[in-house]
Amino acid sequence: MATTNNMTLNLKIWRQKNQTSEGKLVDYRVENVSPDMSFLEMIDVLNDQLVRKGEDTVAFDHDCREGICGMCSMMINGKAHGGFKNTTTCQVHMRLYKDGDTVVIEPFRAKAFPIVKDLTVDRGAIDKVMAAGGFITANTGNAPDANAMLIPKPVADEAMDAAACIGCGACVASCPNGSGMLFMGAKVSQLALLPQGQPESPKRALNMVYTHDTLGFGNCTTHAECEATCPKGISIEHIARMNREYLKAAFTYHEKNRSEGAG
Amino acid sequence: MSFNLDPKIPAGPLSEKWDKHKFEMKRVNPANKRKFTVIVVGTGLAGGSASATLAELGYNVLSFCIQDTPRRAHSIAAQGGINGAKNYPNDGDSVRNLFYDTIKGGDYRSREANVYRLAQVSNNIIDQMVSQGVPFAREYGGYLDNRSFGGAQVSRTFYARGQTGQQLLLGAYSGMMKMVAKGKIKQFTRREMMDLVVINGKARGIIVKNLITGELERYAADAVLLCTGGYGNVFYLSTNAQHSNVTAAWRCYKRGAGFANPCFTQIHPTCIPVHGDYQSKLTLMSESLRNDGRVWVPKKKGDTRKPADIPEEERDYYLERIYPSFGNLAPRDVSSRQAKFRCDEGHGVGPTKQAVYLDFRDAIKRDGKEVIAARYGNLFEMYERITADNPYNTPMMIFPAVHYTMGGLWVDYNLQSTVPGLHVLGEANFSDHGANRLGASALMQGLADGYFVAPYTISNYLASTPLEKVTVDDNAFKDAEQAVKLQTSKLLGIKGSRTATEFHRTLGHYMWDYVGMSRSEKGLKTALDGIRKLKEEFWSDLKLNGDTSDYNLELHRAARVADFIELGELMALDALERRESCGGHFREEFQTADNEAKRDDENFTHAAVWEYTGSNSSPVRHKEELVFENVKLATRSYK
Ligand SMILES: Cc1cc2nc3c(=O)[nH]c(=O)nc-3n(C[C@H](O)[C@H](O)[C@H](O)COP(=O)(O)OP(=O)(O)OC[C@H]3O[C@@H](n4cnc5c(N)ncnc54)[C@H](O)[C@@H]3O)c2cc1C
Ligand code: SF4
Ligand code: FES
């Protein structure tokens, strides 16, 4: 694991003081980057240099640093999470880069995700979409025995595939339309697959899609960029399943809350 | 001031205590619930489930978290699973069995009544989570699947691939979101609790820092629930998320909440070893891997051969050798210590020699690569991404790392701290795990506290306590806010030369070297001296830029490090005073001939509860005697 071939990298990082100020790319040089470092540890090294020089550190979001919380973001060389298969930014390791590389680092950009500072954006719109229906109404204390309802393994597995979404928003940032269909489709699909989730399913799809459209997320025009960058390998098939649920709902609850853009 | 450490354990037989207590507790009538406001700090499994449930009941909930959304709380990272005494595999499990394993696993340093209740409600948790759409693993027949974890001889662990914490947290989060939409939960993200406001002896509010604007905010309520997680990051390197910290609990301690067993730390045996100074965290490889992976080291000291070149007879499968009946599934404290012993003796492997092998060769031979991939595929991928080694072809290298803190704020049976109105849930309390937590039991405890215990006990508190009207303009709020402001300007005014991270890292070295897996009087005294000096240096030489008017991440970090340093001192003191070995607390002076922990039941069958007495005086150590009426104290043996 330990290697001594340390590298020097040239970084171009988006610096922006707050939501309203102007931002720009600023050049930095980081030396002594070990190939075993994670991408975020490389930025830690830069930030350490900045503190010592009396400068403001680069603000970026992160928490678990193991690819599960969905907090890290960043466009690295134009790709959400760096564009490595099934990998979040915190799981990108520097052995994927070469000595002397120039790396451009920008925030996730989307109308629904305003910039907070530097590489930090506000993804609160994801919570709002979830609050519109991303749940099963099962109040605490009412549940029947867990084995009372049998769920075939393939169904449970498919629901789990959809449930793996970490809500990072890379799908939105990589979509030319800034659409949130993939993360929303994943949730609608997970709950539609499970018998517990079926009673509310059409209504859920309708409400979530409606809310999604009012929050500045764009339409899905099946570019599939989202699927390609999703660090959890969420398939666009879930968008198709959501659309079916939506159509069912459009029949049942026609006119009420009807919105464009589910197609 | 003297502490009231009455655990308030209800009378009656163990198995009837909780039902009886639920019946006897006062309730708030449905129409009155909307008149009460409850603050819930934290949105992990404990805080998320409590917020959702209290809001469903009709209370107004104010929910706070550090991350940009509740769904990212550290609970999300739990991999392996959650225990439940369902006995679905029909292998003889029961509530009593889970209770007994947990008491024994904790080395007889937890409270019987709490642990029994935990085992009782474990089954409701599984039901609840399934009803919310958590996609637990299933067998082909459609039934839920189970696996085993360390310290148990039954399969009682429910799991969702390697993402159990994520799926459970998303379940709790979805319940929260439902109540956010209904307006019963007000959600405050990117907020950090900086102080507790106590009025007339009762917890009535909090002071919070808006992390983006730097502004301080005041919130008043009728009760405060602290669900802020563990403090493993006092070691700098741990498996915890970067934002996990002790600040909220520490400020409550300074406002009168007792801190129990701070030195009880869990060091997890299967983590990816440290590989460089720049390292920011340690990654856990789920304990579930020990179901199929075999732990070994070369018999020859300093053996530099590749693992594949070391023949069978030259390998020491030391867990199987020493603990034939539990083998690779020996509990965490025991397994970690044995790994340390092997490395100390010179059998360690890898570039730093601070690692042992976890080998899947035999499991792959037995079950096939596909079966192993289905069980652990994502963990293997994660391992490879970090280390560039492929565990299908070569054994993993693992080493123990700080993982969980059994210590925390003291609570009674109702989960109330020594400050009335301040309830503490999840990893933040001193918990049901005694001196060592069994795998898959933290998720269970967080959800038990939040879904099935606190909602009843809070109602009882609100219904039976006279609560004066308070507003955020009361002096207590002003004073608390002022104290936070003062600390902030002090930090910004130091203008020294060392960064907060540097101080944190140095603290981590003291903690790992002297307050880690193996502790001695001499080492602990070294740690105490060192940490006290470090504290002085911190307050005279900290380098910090900027001001409070901005998203100043370094300032936020420095405030946390300041509290970690003080906590480190208390942990060393607690470890020094506990002159016995038990669970994860191993004092070199107290061990058996074969290096196992030697308890001193006569003098230490108690929880040590520390009382803060001011910045210039030593904290006072109180005791809650632990009474065992249902299990016989025995030497814990996994042989
Ligand atoms: C890598 C890993 C794997 C694990 N795997 C398992 C497992 O398989 N099974 C198991 O049972 N347990 C496991 N555990 C342990 C378990 O995950 C935790 O103990 C548990 O999730 C803690 O839950 P919690 O709700 O108490 O706190 P957390 O989930 O830590 O949540 C803390 C919350 O408090 C908030 N907070 C903290 N401080 C403040 C403040 N000052 N102001 C405002 N908000 C604050 C945070 O934002 C967060 O929302 C694992 C732990 C780790 C590290
Ligand atoms: S669908 Fe994928 S890219 Fe989108 S939020 Fe979920 S995990 Fe991230
Ligand atoms: S920091 Fe949690 S997913 Fe990257």
Side-chain angles (χ1 to χ4, degrees):
Chain A
M1 275 192 287
T3 336
T4 45
N5 314 329
N6 284 352
M7 312 180 275
T8 298
L9 291 184
N10 302 305
L11 307 179
K12 289 183 178 303
I13 302 183
W14 187 263
R15 302 300 309 258
Q16 178 172 337
K17 198 159 171 47
N18 54 44
Q19 195 176 333
T20 49
S21 62
E22 290 221 349
K24 61 169 194 286
L25 285 171
V26 177
D27 290 333
Y28 298 98
R29 203 179 142 84
V30 189
E31 289 165 4
N32 259 323
V33 174
S34 150
D36 289 332
M37 274 181 190
S38 70
F39 198 86
L40 297 184
E41 284 167 348
M42 186 270 296
I43 310 249
D44 289 343
V45 172
L46 169 68
N47 274 342
D48 191 62
Q49 289 171 14
L50 293 177
V51 181
R52 285 172 204 284
K53 281 197 277 184
E55 291 175 29
D56 193 17
T57 53
V58 177
F60 65 95
D61 269 335
H62 64 108
D63 197 16
C64 71
R65 296 202 175 193
E66 49 187 69
I68 193 72
C69 73
M71 189 128 174
C72 61
S73 46
M74 299 191 195
M75 301 298 283
I76 306 173
N77 288 336
K79 296 250 162 83
H81 294 300
F84 304 98
K85 194 172 177 327
N86 293 346
T87 305
T88 53
T89 295
C90 60
Q91 292 290 284
V92 171
H93 280 73
M94 297 317 294
R95 65 181 78 91
L96 298 166
Y97 295 87
K98 292 191 311 293
D99 188 34
D101 275 359
T102 297
V103 185
V104 183
I105 310 171
E106 293 172 274
F108 276 3
R109 292 185 196 277
K111 193 167 156 221
F113 297 165
I115 291 181
V116 173
K117 182 181 175 181
D118 302 335
L119 306 172
T120 304
V121 299
D122 179 354
R123 287 167 286 186
I126 295 181
D127 282 344
K128 295 204 176 92
V129 173
M130 291 301 164
F135 47 78
I136 292 174
T137 306
N139 285 357
T140 309
N142 296 333
D145 183 83
N147 260 345
M149 191 180 277
L150 301 186
I151 302 175
K153 183 169 161 44
V155 175
D157 284 348
E158 204 180 349
M160 181 60 219
D161 289 342
C165 166
I166 56 175
C168 64
C171 45
V172 182
S174 61
C175 171
N177 308 329
S179 170
M181 285 289 173
L182 192 63
F183 78 77
M184 180 168 60
K187 186 49 71 182
V188 170
S189 182
Q190 175 204 340
L191 300 181
L193 279 160
L194 297 169
Q196 313 89 297
Q198 276 159 11
E200 292 173 282
S201 189
K203 185 168 147 233
R204 170 181 308 120
L206 193 73
N207 289 344
M208 287 177 79
V209 170
Y210 175 76
T211 305
H212 167 272
D213 292 356
T214 61
L215 288 168
F217 291 106
N219 285 344
C220 173
T221 46
T222 42
H223 283 263
E225 292 286 343
C226 53
E227 185 184 75
T229 38
C230 171
K232 295 293 140 180
I234 304 288
S235 152
I236 51 171
E237 281 169 30
H238 297 299
I239 301 184
R241 184 174 288 109
M242 173 176 65
N243 286 340
R244 289 198 293 277
E245 294 300 312
Y246 179 86
L247 285 177
K248 273 193 231 162
F251 280 118
T252 332
Y253 303 83
H254 55 164
E255 298 321 318
K256 186 180 161 257
N257 282 356
R258 188 85 168 266
S259 62
E260 300 299 312
Chain B
M1 190 175 89
S2 111
F3 264 6
N4 178 5
L5 294 181
D6 177 1
K8 304 213 177 71
I9 300 168
L14 189 62
S15 60
E16 291 164 27
K17 284 181 195 293
W18 178 232
D19 284 341
K20 186 165 158 281
H21 191 53
K22 273 199 292 191
F23 176 73
E24 286 169 359
M25 274 189 288
K26 290 213 174 69
R27 284 168 277 268
V28 178
N29 89 46
N32 277 343
K33 288 202 179 98
R34 73 175 78 99
K35 295 181 190 152
F36 290 104
T37 299
V38 180
I39 284 173
V40 182
V41 190
T43 59
L45 289 180
S49 57
S51 295
T53 307
L54 289 168
E56 280 167 21
L57 288 171
Y59 297 110
N60 305 303
V61 174
L62 309 179
S63 153
F64 298 84
C65 68
I66 291 176
Q67 294 80 0
D68 62 332
T69 149
R71 66 182 286 159
R72 306 206 204 285
H74 164 60
S75 292
I76 198 104
Q79 302 168 350
I82 177 167
N83 287 332
K86 286 280 194 185
N87 192 29
Y88 285 155
N90 194 27
D91 53 4
D93 202 10
S94 62
V95 166
R96 195 165 176 94
N97 213 339
L98 174 54
F99 156 73
Y100 178 74
D101 283 352
T102 309
I103 288 273
K104 174 184 170 195
D107 217 356
Y108 307 94
R109 290 295 174 263
S110 46
R111 206 186 276 146
E112 270 189 348
N114 286 53
V115 177
Y116 195 86
R117 174 178 65 190
L118 176 65
Q120 272 178 310
V121 302
S122 69
N123 289 339
N124 305 51
I125 296 171
I126 304 303
D127 299 340
Q128 173 67 20
M129 295 326 282
V130 167
S131 78
Q132 288 192 328
V134 168
F136 282 124
R138 298 200 174 242
E139 295 166 355
Y140 279 96
Y143 293 97
L144 290 161
D145 191 21
N146 285 120
R147 61 184 172 200
S148 345
F149 254 57
Q153 286 173 316
V154 294
S155 287
R156 61 160 77 97
T157 305
F158 295 80
Y159 65 101
R161 292 201 187 137
Q163 288 128 273
T164 316
Q166 178 199 29
Q167 293 310 315
L168 296 173
L169 184 62
L170 293 181
Y173 159 82
S174 70
M176 270 187 81
M177 287 300 109
K178 180 187 76 185
M179 299 317 294
V180 166
K182 291 198 170 143
K184 291 304 287 181
I185 297 180
K186 276 215 190 78
Q187 181 186 312
F188 300 91
T189 60
R190 296 201 195 261
R191 300 294 204 292
E192 185 154 338
M193 170 176 164
M194 302 304 290
D195 209 348
L196 177 75
V197 179
V198 181
I199 299 177
N200 290 338
K202 286 173 284 219
R204 295 308 301 269
I206 58 175
I207 304 294
V208 164
K209 180 161 67 179
N210 179 323
L211 294 173
I212 301 293
T213 64
E215 272 160 28
L216 295 178
E217 302 167 349
R218 309 171 185 180
Y219 298 91
D222 299 294
V224 176
L225 266 63
L226 203 79
C227 315
T228 48
Y231 50 83
N233 277 344
V234 65
F235 287 81
Y236 186 67
L237 288 180
S238 83
T239 61
N240 289 10
Q242 299 287 300
H243 292 300
S244 297
N245 72 96
V246 77
T247 289
W250 195 249
R251 306 287 166 104
C252 292
Y253 164 67
K254 290 189 163 179
R255 292 277 173 199
F259 208 119
N261 300 332
C263 80
F264 284 175
T265 311
Q266 176 158 86
I267 313 238
H268 195 293
T270 55
C271 303
I272 299 180
V274 178
H275 50 73
D277 286 342
Y278 48 81
Q279 195 153 351
S280 58
K281 84 157 290 173
L282 295 171
T283 304
L284 173 80
M285 287 285 107
S286 168
E287 172 171 323
S288 60
L289 291 167
R290 290 200 277 144
N291 271 295
D292 288 296
R294 299 179 69 194
V295 179
W296 65 275
V297 290
K299 284 187 181 159
K300 198 171 104 196
K301 287 186 187 177
D303 197 334
T304 51
R305 285 175 291 177
K306 287 205 197 97
D309 297 339
I310 301 179
E312 200 55 25
E313 61 282 3
E314 291 182 44
R315 300 174 172 201
D316 179 12
Y317 293 93
Y318 57 90
L319 288 177
E320 297 172 19
R321 171 170 60 81
I322 307 174
Y323 307 103
S325 65
F326 279 72
N328 294 296
L329 285 174
R332 292 176 175 179
D333 52 341
V334 171
S335 309
S336 291
R337 221 147 37 226
Q338 290 297 345
K340 178 185 177 346
F341 292 155
R342 297 293 87 75
C343 294
D344 288 351
E345 289 161 6
H347 297 279
V349 298
T352 60
K353 303 285 167 220
Q354 293 290 310
V356 300
Y357 290 125
L358 178 63
D359 200 337
F360 294 88
R361 185 194 64 184
D362 297 346
I364 293 172
K365 230 187 272 164
R366 183 187 66 222
D367 297 338
K369 189 175 162 186
E370 223 157 83
V371 172
I372 296 301
R375 278 185 205 144
Y376 312 112
N378 60 334
L379 295 171
F380 280 29
E381 265 172 43
M382 193 200 293
Y383 182 85
E384 184 170 5
R385 212 171 284 134
I386 296 173
T387 64
D389 279 342
N390 177 345
Y392 292 105
N393 305 333
T394 182
M396 286 184 176
M397 277 190 268
I398 52 160
F399 197 65
V402 173
H403 178 59
Y404 182 89
T405 47
M406 282 78 67
L409 295 183
W410 182 88
V411 289
D412 64 15
Y413 187 74
N414 297 315
L415 304 182
Q416 180 165 275
S417 71
T418 50
V419 177
L422 175 68
H423 290 67
V424 190
L425 282 59
E427 193 175 336
N429 70 25
F430 87 119
S431 88
D432 304 339
H433 309 292
N436 172 57
R437 174 174 72 79
L438 292 182
S441 286
L443 302 182
M444 171 173 74
Q445 184 224 332
L447 291 173
D449 289 359
Y451 275 132
F452 298 109
V453 181
Y456 291 98
T457 60
I458 292 287
S459 293
N460 182 45
Y461 172 77
L462 295 173
S464 56
T465 313
L467 290 159
E468 315 73 20
K469 195 173 157 35
V470 305
T471 75
V472 294
D473 299 321
D474 287 1
N475 282 336
F477 278 92
K478 284 187 197 149
D479 294 348
E481 187 182 293
Q482 197 49 38
V484 178
K485 274 200 181 132
L486 207 68
Q487 196 218 26
T488 311
S489 49
K490 241 171 102 184
L491 286 169
L492 285 165
I494 301 170
K495 310 243 177 273
S497 68
R498 287 156 72 185
T499 65
T501 305
E502 254 180 285
F503 281 106
H504 196 176
R505 207 180 271 137
T506 309
L507 173 68
H509 283 307
Y510 279 117
M511 299 303 293
W512 182 248
D513 292 345
Y514 303 112
V515 200
M517 267 188 284
S518 185
R519 303 158 170 184
S520 70
E521 179 165 342
K522 184 159 166 273
L524 289 165
K525 286 186 170 156
T526 310
L528 276 173
D529 287 344
I531 296 170
R532 283 174 184 150
K533 241 187 27 247
L534 190 70
K535 183 172 160 189
E536 275 171 32
E537 288 164 18
F538 177 88
W539 286 102
S540 58
D541 194 24
L542 173 73
K543 174 144 185 75
L544 203 54
N545 311 315
D547 52 37
T548 55
S549 67
D550 183 22
Y551 186 25
N552 189 342
L553 287 152
E554 275 298 299
L555 173 62
H556 306 337
R557 187 194 303 274
R560 292 177 194 169
V561 173
D563 292 338
F564 274 138
I565 293 176
E566 294 183 7
L567 165 73
E569 185 184 341
L570 187 69
M571 288 171 73
L573 198 58
D574 186 46
L576 186 64
E577 292 296 319
R578 187 169 280 277
R579 290 172 213 285
E580 65 161 351
S581 294
C582 58
H585 171 65
F586 189 76
R587 281 285 299 265
E588 288 160 15
E589 302 91 331
F590 309 100
Q591 53 180 310
T592 62
D594 48 359
N595 306 116
E596 301 292 345
K598 197 161 138 201
R599 290 197 323 262
D600 175 354
D601 290 338
E602 203 172 314
N603 295 304
F604 286 96
T605 308
H606 61 246
V609 189
W610 293 88
E611 178 186 6
Y612 181 74
T613 58
S615 56
N616 293 320
S617 55
S618 305
V620 178
R621 186 180 192 271
H622 301 270
K623 294 179 201 172
E624 180 206 333
E625 293 297 340
L626 299 168
V627 183
F628 290 89
E629 290 168 339
N630 298 275
V631 289
K632 223 176 98 234
L633 269 63
T635 300
R636 206 165 60 122
S637 167
Y638 292 93
K639 296 192 165 156

